[in-house]
């Protein structure tokens, strides 16, 4: 059920096409980006990235006005997960096509906030924020919940790998090391704040997910760990709870257990003779 929600009804066929189609790839089989994006920690990291990205008022305004995250949240997630899979594991030709489709959509997403600020999804500054918030969140989650946490060189390699995709999307001079990533996020901080739209999105994502009741318990564990993965200052800005000792003694162990279960359940079936 989880795979069908995230990957969509065409998930198995898409996975086979992405992984099995012959041709050159953007990334080698042992690339750091493949280690991170192929791990079940992506479920926590992806959710954390949505929360983190909401702190940029213009990016959040674009999401609230154009993404349809309330009306079609799973379709949006499926598009995002497919894009990450294609650019990470797919052929170079398919990866470029995916990037071209996203850039075409971005050119049509523009508007004005209630305070009169204009925005465009193709703005390199907004693209840069969405990129660094996502990379930071996925890397944090992988280091805490991944099957193979990266060493310092591996973390730098991961950031450098993601810069390849970011540049193709239109990000100007994306960070290429963990140190550069931290510096870029620090440079954005004066522009970040939690707007009404951000608080509404956070409440929806964490408290009102479109899931059957049987799945609400595991999702709550994912949500709690996504919150715990955020930088402290981001949690404070979004008014998300911080309880001393609870994260390390309850939340994180539950997150590791659930991630391990997802990793086992979603392992790609072995090829048949």
């Amino acid at each position: 059920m989880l795979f069908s929600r995230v990957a969509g009804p065409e998930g198995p066929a898409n996975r086979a096409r992405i992984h099995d189609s012959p041709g050159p790839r953007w990334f080698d089989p042992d690339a750091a980006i493949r280690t991170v994006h192929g791990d079940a920690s992506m479920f926590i990291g992806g959710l954390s990235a949505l929360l983190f990205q909401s702190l940029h008022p213009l990016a959040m305004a674009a999401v609230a006005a154009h993404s349809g995250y309330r009306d079609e949240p799973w379709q949006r997630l499926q598009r995002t997960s497919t894009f990450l899979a294609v650019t990470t594991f797919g052929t170079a030709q398919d990866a470029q096509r995916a990037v071209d489709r996203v850039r075409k959509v971005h050119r049509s997403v523009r508007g004005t906030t209630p305070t009169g600020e204009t925005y465009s999804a193709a703005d390199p500054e907004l693209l840069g924020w969405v990129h660094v918030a996502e990379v930071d969140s996925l890397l944090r989650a992988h280091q805490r919940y991944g099957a193979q946490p990266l060493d310092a060189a591996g973390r730098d390699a991961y950031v450098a790998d993601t810069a390849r995709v970011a540049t193709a999307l239109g990000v100007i001079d994306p960070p290429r090391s963990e140190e550069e990533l931290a510096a870029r996020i620090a440079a954005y901080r004066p522009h970040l704040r939690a707007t009404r739209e951000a608080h509404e999105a956070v409440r929806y994502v964490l408290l009102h997910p479109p899931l059957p009741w049987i799945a609400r318990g595991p999702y709550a564990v994912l949500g709690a760990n996504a919150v715990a993965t955020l930088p402290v200052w981001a949690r404070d800005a979004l008014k998300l709870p911080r309880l001393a000792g609870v994260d390390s003694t309850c939340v994180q162990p539950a997150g590791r257990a659930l991630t391990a279960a997802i990793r086992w359940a979603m392992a790609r079936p072995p090829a048949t003779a």
Side-chain angles (χ1 to χ4, degrees):
M1 183 185 73
L2 183 64
F3 181 76
S4 66
R5 290 282 189 174
V6 174
E10 302 301 319
N14 284 339
R15 179 160 64 177
R17 176 180 57 81
I18 290 168
H19 288 270
D20 298 337
S21 294
R25 264 71 176 164
W26 279 358
F27 303 105
D28 294 332
D30 59 350
I33 193 172
R34 289 189 166 211
T35 299
V36 175
H37 292 180
D39 190 82
S41 60
M42 288 282 287
F43 284 90
I44 292 174
L47 188 55
S48 185
L50 292 178
L51 304 177
F52 200 12
Q53 290 166 346
S54 75
L55 281 172
H56 197 300
L58 298 184
M60 188 63 238
V63 168
H66 299 275
S67 77
Y69 74 91
R70 289 179 182 272
D71 299 327
E72 50 171 27
W74 292 116
Q75 291 89 333
R76 181 169 181 257
L77 180 60
Q78 288 157 17
R79 290 192 294 268
T80 301
S81 65
T82 299
F83 177 81
L84 286 172
V86 170
T87 53
T88 302
F89 301 100
T91 65
Q93 185 178 49
D94 284 344
Q96 187 60 54
R97 286 173 178 166
V99 165
D100 292 342
R101 285 193 295 269
V102 171
R103 296 195 70 162
K104 182 179 180 180
V105 171
H106 282 172
R107 287 194 292 271
S108 66
V109 176
R110 56 182 66 246
T112 305
T113 70
T115 59
E117 297 176 276
T118 59
Y119 62 81
S120 168
D123 179 356
E125 282 294 308
L126 287 188
L127 288 172
W129 164 249
V130 171
H131 171 68
V132 297
E134 177 180 84
V135 171
D136 184 74
S137 299
L138 297 181
L139 185 55
R140 283 174 180 266
H142 186 79
Q143 292 306 106
R144 185 174 293 182
Y145 306 102
Q148 299 175 328
L150 303 173
D151 59 16
R155 296 193 296 274
D156 284 345
Y158 172 67
V159 178
D161 287 344
T162 63
R164 167 72 176 84
V165 182
T167 300
L169 283 170
V171 178
I172 297 174
D173 190 27
R176 289 173 169 78
S177 70
E178 192 175 23
E179 182 179 4
E180 290 181 8
L181 176 63
R184 193 67 55 87
I185 290 174
Y188 274 104
R189 282 193 62 178
H191 307 287
L192 306 179
R193 67 180 188 276
T195 60
R196 176 179 59 83
E197 291 84 1
H199 286 299
E200 290 176 353
V202 168
R203 284 196 297 270
Y204 180 80
V205 167
L206 294 179
L207 302 179
H208 306 291
L211 287 169
W213 283 106
I214 193 172
R216 293 292 180 94
Y219 183 85
V221 175
L222 289 177
N225 281 275
V227 170
T229 306
L230 288 168
V232 170
W233 58 267
R235 292 175 67 171
D236 290 343
L238 291 169
K239 297 182 179 179
L240 294 170
R242 282 194 293 133
L243 301 176
V246 174
D247 283 352
S248 59
T249 59
C250 298
V251 174
Q252 292 181 32
R256 292 189 183 97
L258 182 59
T259 305
I262 294 172
R263 187 177 296 117
W264 171 80
M266 295 186 63
R268 195 179 183 200
T272 56

